[in-house]
Coordinates of all heavy atoms in Angstrom, one line a residue:
A152 N 110.8 89.8 99.5 CA 110.3 90.6 100.6 C 111.3 91.4 101.4 O 111.1 92.6 101.7 CB 109.5 89.7 101.6
E153 N 112.5 90.7 101.6 CA 113.6 91.4 102.2 C 113.9 92.7 101.5 O 114.1 93.7 102.1 CB 114.8 90.5 102.1 CG 115.7 90.5 103.3 CD 116.9 89.6 103.1 OE1 116.7 88.4 102.9 OE2 118.0 90.1 103.1
G154 N 114.0 92.7 100.2 CA 114.4 93.9 99.4 C 113.4 95.0 99.5 O 113.8 96.2 99.6
L155 N 112.1 94.6 99.5 CA 111.0 95.6 99.6 C 111.0 96.3 101.0 O 110.9 97.5 101.1 CB 109.7 94.9 99.4 CG 109.3 94.5 98.0 CD1 108.2 93.4 97.9 CD2 109.0 95.6 97.1
I156 N 111.2 95.5 102.0 CA 111.3 95.9 103.4 C 112.5 96.9 103.5 O 112.4 97.9 104.2 CB 111.3 94.8 104.4 CG1 109.9 94.1 104.3 CG2 111.5 95.3 105.8 CD1 109.9 92.7 104.9
Q157 N 113.6 96.5 103.0 CA 114.9 97.3 103.1 C 114.6 98.7 102.5 O 115.1 99.6 103.1 CB 116.0 96.5 102.4 CG 117.3 97.2 102.4 CD 118.1 97.0 103.8 OE1 118.3 96.0 104.2 NE2 118.3 98.1 104.4
E158 N 114.0 98.7 101.3 CA 113.7 100.0 100.7 C 113.0 100.9 101.6 O 113.3 102.1 101.7 CB 112.9 99.8 99.4 CG 113.7 99.6 98.1 CD 112.8 99.4 97.0 OE1 112.3 100.5 96.5 OE2 112.5 98.3 96.5
T159 N 111.9 100.4 102.2 CA 111.1 101.2 103.1 C 111.9 101.7 104.3 O 111.8 102.8 104.7 CB 109.8 100.5 103.5 OG1 109.0 100.3 102.3 CG2 109.0 101.3 104.5
L160 N 112.7 100.7 104.9 CA 113.5 101.0 106.1 C 114.4 102.1 105.8 O 114.6 103.1 106.6 CB 114.2 99.7 106.5 CG 115.0 99.9 107.8 CD1 114.2 100.3 109.0 CD2 115.7 98.5 108.1
I161 N 115.0 102.2 104.6 CA 115.9 103.3 104.3 C 115.2 104.6 104.2 O 115.6 105.7 104.7 CB 116.6 102.9 103.0 CG1 117.7 101.9 103.2 CG2 117.4 104.2 102.3 CD1 118.2 101.2 102.0
E162 N 114.0 104.6 103.6 CA 113.2 105.8 103.6 C 112.8 106.3 105.0 O 112.9 107.6 105.2 CB 111.9 105.6 102.8 CG 112.0 105.5 101.3 CD 110.7 105.2 100.5 OE1 109.7 105.0 101.2 OE2 110.8 105.2 99.3
E163 N 112.5 105.4 105.9 CA 112.1 105.9 107.2 C 113.3 106.4 107.9 O 113.2 107.5 108.7 CB 111.6 104.7 108.0 CG 110.5 103.9 107.5 CD 109.1 104.6 107.2 OE1 109.1 105.9 107.3 OE2 108.1 103.9 107.1
E164 N 114.5 105.8 107.8 CA 115.7 106.3 108.4 C 116.1 107.7 107.9 O 116.5 108.6 108.6 CB 116.8 105.3 108.2 CG 116.7 104.1 109.1 CD 117.6 102.9 108.9 OE1 118.2 102.9 107.8 OE2 117.7 102.0 109.7
N165 N 116.0 107.9 106.5 CA 116.2 109.2 105.9 C 115.3 110.2 106.4 O 115.7 111.4 106.7 CB 116.1 109.1 104.4 CG 117.3 108.4 103.7 OD1 118.3 108.2 104.4 ND2 117.1 107.9 102.5
T166 N 114.0 109.9 106.5 CA 113.0 110.8 107.1 C 113.4 111.3 108.5 O 113.3 112.5 108.8 CB 111.6 110.3 107.0 OG1 111.3 109.9 105.7 CG2 110.5 111.3 107.5
D167 N 113.7 110.3 109.3 CA 114.1 110.7 110.6 C 115.3 111.6 110.7 O 115.3 112.6 111.4 CB 114.5 109.3 111.3 CG 114.8 109.5 112.8 OD1 114.1 110.2 113.5 OD2 115.9 109.0 113.2
Q168 N 116.3 111.4 109.8 CA 117.5 112.1 109.7 C 117.1 113.6 109.2 O 117.6 114.6 109.8 CB 118.5 111.5 108.7 CG 119.8 112.1 108.6 CD 120.5 112.1 110.0 OE1 120.5 111.1 110.7 NE2 121.4 113.2 110.2
I169 N 116.3 113.7 108.2 CA 115.9 115.0 107.7 C 115.2 115.8 108.8 O 115.4 117.0 109.0 CB 114.9 114.7 106.5 CG1 115.8 114.4 105.3 CG2 114.1 116.1 106.2 CD1 114.9 113.8 104.1
L170 N 114.3 115.1 109.5 CA 113.6 115.8 110.6 C 114.5 116.3 111.8 O 114.4 117.4 112.3 CB 112.4 114.9 111.2 CG 111.3 114.6 110.4 CD1 110.4 113.6 110.9 CD2 110.5 115.9 110.0
S171 N 115.5 115.5 112.0 CA 116.6 115.9 113.1 C 117.2 117.2 112.7 O 117.4 118.0 113.4 CB 117.6 114.8 113.3 OG 117.1 113.8 114.2
E172 N 117.7 117.2 111.4 CA 118.4 118.3 110.8 C 117.5 119.5 110.8 O 118.0 120.6 111.2 CB 119.0 118.0 109.4 CG 120.2 117.1 109.5 CD 120.5 116.4 108.2 OE1 120.0 116.9 107.2 OE2 121.3 115.4 108.2
L173 N 116.3 119.4 110.4 CA 115.4 120.5 110.4 C 115.2 121.1 111.7 O 115.1 122.2 112.0 CB 114.1 120.0 109.8 CG 113.1 121.0 109.1 CD1 113.8 121.9 108.2 CD2 112.0 120.2 108.5
A174 N 115.0 120.2 112.8 CA 114.9 120.6 114.1 C 116.0 121.4 114.6 O 115.9 122.5 115.2 CB 114.5 119.5 115.0
E175 N 117.2 120.9 114.4 CA 118.4 121.4 115.0 C 118.8 122.7 114.3 O 119.2 123.7 114.9 CB 119.5 120.4 114.9 CG 119.4 119.3 116.0 CD 120.2 118.1 115.8 OE1 121.3 118.2 115.1 OE2 119.9 117.0 116.3
D176 N 118.6 122.7 112.9 CA 119.1 123.9 112.2 C 118.1 125.1 112.3 O 118.5 126.3 112.3 CB 119.3 123.6 110.7 CG 120.4 122.5 110.5 OD1 121.2 122.4 111.5 OD2 120.5 122.0 109.4
A177 N 116.8 124.8 112.4 CA 115.9 125.9 112.2 C 114.7 125.9 113.2 O 114.4 126.9 113.8 CB 115.2 125.9 110.8
I178 N 114.1 124.7 113.4 CA 112.8 124.7 114.2 C 113.1 124.9 115.7 O 112.3 125.7 116.3 CB 112.1 123.4 113.8 CG1 111.9 123.2 112.4 CG2 110.8 123.4 114.7 CD1 110.9 124.2 111.7
N179 N 114.0 124.2 116.2 CA 114.3 124.4 117.7 C 114.8 125.8 118.0 O 114.2 126.4 119.0 CB 115.3 123.3 118.2 CG 114.7 122.0 118.1 OD1 113.5 121.7 118.0 ND2 115.5 121.0 118.4
P180 N 115.7 126.4 117.3 CA 116.1 127.8 117.6 C 114.8 128.7 117.5 O 114.7 129.6 118.4 CB 117.1 128.1 116.5 CG 117.6 126.8 116.1 CD 116.6 125.8 116.2
A181 N 114.0 128.6 116.5 CA 112.8 129.4 116.3 C 111.8 129.2 117.5 O 111.1 130.2 117.9 CB 112.1 129.1 115.0
A182 N 111.8 128.1 118.1 CA 110.9 127.8 119.2 C 111.3 128.4 120.5 O 110.5 128.5 121.4 CB 110.8 126.3 119.3
T183 N 112.6 128.7 120.5 CA 113.2 129.2 121.7 C 112.9 130.7 121.9 O 112.9 131.3 123.0 CB 114.7 129.1 121.8 OG1 115.0 127.7 121.2 CG2 115.3 129.2 123.1
A184 N 112.6 131.4 120.8 CA 112.5 132.9 120.8 C 111.4 133.3 121.7 O 110.4 132.7 121.8 CB 112.2 133.4 119.4

Side-chain angles (χ1 to χ4, degrees):
E153 215 185 297
L155 291 162
I156 293 162
Q157 180 79 59
E158 271 184 76
T159 295
L160 182 57
I161 289 168
E162 283 178 356
E163 308 292 20
E164 286 169 345
N165 285 343
T166 300
D167 182 50
Q168 187 62 35
I169 287 165
L170 289 171
S171 279
E172 284 165 14
L173 202 51
E175 284 163 25
D176 296 347
I178 304 295
N179 291 348
T183 317

